[in-house]
């Protein structure tokens, strides 16, 4: 949302009808997001200390998913075959055409 707010302030006049419609919705968004980054989602912040195992969260997640998640199986077409959406491996260009 922040890029849209910044671009609206830079590109639209304060008298523009679209700016007047969006202004009440955008007014305090940047301040709220800045405070959230400072207090909630920073390192050792409220979210990390309350909802995760702290600074070792990434290490624990890596150990838990080491054998379940593979990078080569997450991309196309392997992901589609694994989820039984596709039956066989086809070139990406054919996959794009078939899902248009």
């Amino acid at each position: 949302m922040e890029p849209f707010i910044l671009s609206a302030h830079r590109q639209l006049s304060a008298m523009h009808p679209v700016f007047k419609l969006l202004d009440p919705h955008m007014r305090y968004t940047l301040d709220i997001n800045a405070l959230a980054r400072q207090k909630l989602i920073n390192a050792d912040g409220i979210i990390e200390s309350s909802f995760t195992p702290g600074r070792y969260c990434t290490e624990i997640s890596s150990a838990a998913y080491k054998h379940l998640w593979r990078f080569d199986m997450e991309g196309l077409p392997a992901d589609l075959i694994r989820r039984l959406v596709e039956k066989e491996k086809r070139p990406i260009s054919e996959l794009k055409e078939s899902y248009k």
Side-chain angles (χ1 to χ4, degrees):
M1 193 70 201
E2 290 177 356
F4 297 108
I5 295 170
L6 292 175
S7 63
H9 281 279
R10 288 179 182 165
Q11 301 297 324
L12 297 175
S13 165
M15 300 303 293
H16 196 282
V18 173
F19 184 85
K20 286 186 177 237
L21 286 171
L22 292 176
D23 189 45
H25 304 286
M26 305 184 300
R27 184 170 297 152
Y28 301 111
T29 303
L30 294 175
D31 296 329
I32 291 169
N33 289 351
L35 284 173
R37 279 192 294 273
Q38 288 174 358
K39 304 286 183 193
L40 295 176
I41 59 175
N42 64 343
D44 296 326
I46 295 169
I47 298 293
E48 187 175 278
S49 63
S50 300
F51 300 108
T52 65
R55 64 179 73 223
Y56 303 107
C57 183
T58 306
E59 187 177 339
I60 292 169
S61 297
S62 299
Y65 290 103
K66 181 170 39 176
H67 299 294
L68 299 174
W69 191 88
R70 288 184 27 205
F71 188 75
D72 61 335
M73 296 302 292
E74 297 301 319
L76 291 176
D79 182 47
L80 296 175
I81 294 169
R82 182 175 49 88
R83 292 186 294 140
L84 303 175
V85 176
E86 286 287 321
K87 292 182 176 68
E88 61 197 38
K89 188 171 182 176
R90 297 189 297 171
I92 301 286
S93 56
E94 287 182 24
L95 287 172
K96 287 181 185 177
E97 292 298 320
S98 64
Y99 287 101
K100 281 187 178 180

